[in-house]
Amino acid sequence: MRARFAGVGHYVPERIVRNQDLESIMDTTDEWIVERTGIHERRFVREGEGTSEQGLHAARAALKAAGLTPQDIDFIIFATLSPDYMFPGCGALLQEKLGCGTIGALDVRTQCTGFVYGLAVADSMIRAGMYRRILLVGAETQSMGLNLSTEGRDMSVIFGDGAGAAVLVAGDDDGPGVLDTVLHSEGSHAKELWMEVPTCLVPTTRTIELVNEGRHFPQMNGREVFKHATRRFVEAVDEVLARIGKTRDDIDLLVPHQANKRISDAVGERLGLPPARLVQNVQRYGNTTAASIPIALSEAIEQGRAKPGQLLILVAFGSGFTWGASAVRW
């Protein structure tokens, strides 16, 4: 058996935050943001609308597309870097919101690569015969943790909120589904893209000191991330293609993590893929980390771009550093 996509869905908050809206709260311009990221707008949640709530909306959409109910699901995998709470994880919260019964729920914390890592876990469980129907969710509420000021603009103009979900079911080994996945990490670059606080390295009583120093905001070395991302994206794609005996010419649709339009453009160019074979929606949603691939995939399905029999490559790079790619026969 292999994991097959039975249904995909997504959710984005109603509130649209355009680049022009950010001009009123920080020293930036629409031109500056578009030139560096390709982003024109993003979505922000309303206060109180957390990550598990967004995941719930996306999960319901995916279940509807699959023609299944919450009671049909055997296991939940929830990928996020912005959980409702430090603990418990969003997977258990989603289990309760959906009313799935006492099924298992696992949180994946590999940030931008969360959906690809989660897909590898789900596929492995299904191949092993442990479960037959798994709900995989990627969701983020990043707007509540951004430094929305001139000081934090390099990071805060990039990110947005949203959720995507997929229902994965056991399928025939010679039919559509996940063909293979490659996963990597390189922790020596961890501090190039990270959020230092909260941390267990100091007593909780010192947390307020670190917050006052602004160390609870996400930080990124943009040059290093761009350099590594453009290389690792391509390497992961080539590696997973080699494992399934395919070449770049066989790719029907590349669905990359929507980190930055400049990165996706560079990756598409290096792989020799025309725009028609590259899915991009970062212009409208910004970087939604673990949610970006399932949102992009859901939209590609709605637009008729993902068709039966096609070879899709899902690829991501992010904090850790971590990166990976999945080859999927649609």
Side-chain angles (χ1 to χ4, degrees):
M1 294 184 295
R2 64 164 61 126
R4 174 178 64 83
F5 283 80
V8 181
H10 73 280
Y11 168 81
V12 291
E14 293 182 0
R15 181 186 173 193
I16 299 174
V17 179
R18 299 178 175 84
N19 292 343
Q20 292 83 356
D21 299 321
L22 298 178
E23 293 177 358
S24 64
I25 58 175
M26 64 181 70
D27 183 12
T28 191
T29 65
D30 174 64
E31 181 181 13
W32 186 88
I33 297 171
V34 172
E35 179 183 348
R36 287 161 177 77
T37 70
I39 298 167
H40 293 267
E41 60 187 44
R42 71 286 294 148
R43 302 296 181 98
F44 282 2
V45 297
R46 65 180 187 280
E47 188 170 348
E49 183 184 17
T51 301
S52 65
E53 186 70 19
Q54 292 193 86
L56 174 64
H57 294 303
R60 285 173 171 165
L63 285 165
K64 182 178 180 180
L68 298 174
T69 71
Q71 290 69 40
D72 295 319
I73 298 300
D74 302 323
F75 194 76
I76 294 172
I77 300 175
F78 201 119
T80 186
L81 66 74
S82 54
D84 292 5
Y85 314 106
M86 287 298 294
F87 64 89
C90 280
L93 300 179
L94 179 61
Q95 173 272 326
E96 189 276 331
K97 291 176 186 289
L98 276 174
C100 292
T102 58
I103 64 173
L106 170 70
D107 278 42
V108 174
R109 295 293 301 277
T110 54
Q111 291 62 256
C112 298
T113 57
F115 192 82
V116 171
Y117 267 72
L119 183 58
V121 173
D123 183 46
S124 297
M125 286 179 163
I126 287 174
R127 287 177 185 267
M130 188 173 183
Y131 298 113
R132 295 189 63 84
R133 298 187 182 99
I134 296 178
L135 174 64
L136 173 59
V137 178
E140 302 291 359
T141 304
Q142 301 183 108
S143 58
M144 294 294 177
L146 297 174
N147 183 359
L148 294 168
S149 70
T150 299
E151 182 183 21
R153 66 180 177 180
D154 288 352
M155 287 287 282
S156 59
V157 302
I158 297 173
F159 295 96
D161 304 336
V167 175
L168 300 157
V169 301
D172 294 336
D173 197 44
D174 58 352
V178 180
L179 304 178
D180 209 341
T181 300
V182 296
L183 304 172
H184 293 280
S185 68
E186 191 172 20
S188 60
H189 300 290
K191 294 184 180 180
E192 305 293 358
L193 178 55
W194 73 324
M195 190 174 77
E196 184 180 5
V197 176
T199 174
C200 65
L201 299 179
V202 301
T204 303
T205 51
R206 282 198 56 205
T207 298
I208 190 63
E209 299 175 24
L210 301 179
V211 170
N212 288 337
E213 294 171 9
R215 290 160 69 176
H216 62 298
F217 290 123
Q219 302 169 51
M220 177 174 65
N221 182 336
R223 290 181 181 274
E224 282 299 303
V225 170
F226 186 92
K227 180 179 70 175
H228 285 270
T230 51
R231 177 161 63 97
R232 297 305 193 185
F233 266 116
V234 175
E235 288 177 355
V237 170
D238 284 340
E239 182 182 359
V240 79
L241 285 172
R243 287 172 64 99
I244 63 172
K246 300 294 182 180
T247 70
R248 296 175 179 181
D249 291 336
D250 295 311
I251 301 173
D252 292 301
L253 207 59
L254 183 73
V255 187
H257 161 54
Q258 306 293 304
N260 180 311
K261 190 174 185 298
R262 290 175 58 220
I263 291 177
S264 295
D265 286 344
V267 171
E269 183 177 345
R270 293 184 186 186
L271 290 172
L273 297 177
R277 291 162 63 190
L278 179 66
V279 178
Q280 292 204 68
N281 63 7
V282 70
Q283 305 94 313
R284 292 181 290 114
Y285 301 130
N287 182 339
T288 56
T289 52
S292 77
I293 286 180
I295 291 175
L297 179 59
S298 178
E299 289 200 328
I301 295 168
E302 289 179 350
Q303 296 161 3
R305 298 181 65 186
K307 301 174 182 178
Q310 287 186 331
L311 177 63
L312 274 59
I313 303 295
L314 317 182
V315 60
F317 173 92
S319 174
F321 288 154
T322 59
W323 64 97
S326 293
V328 179
R329 180 64 66 189
W330 202 249

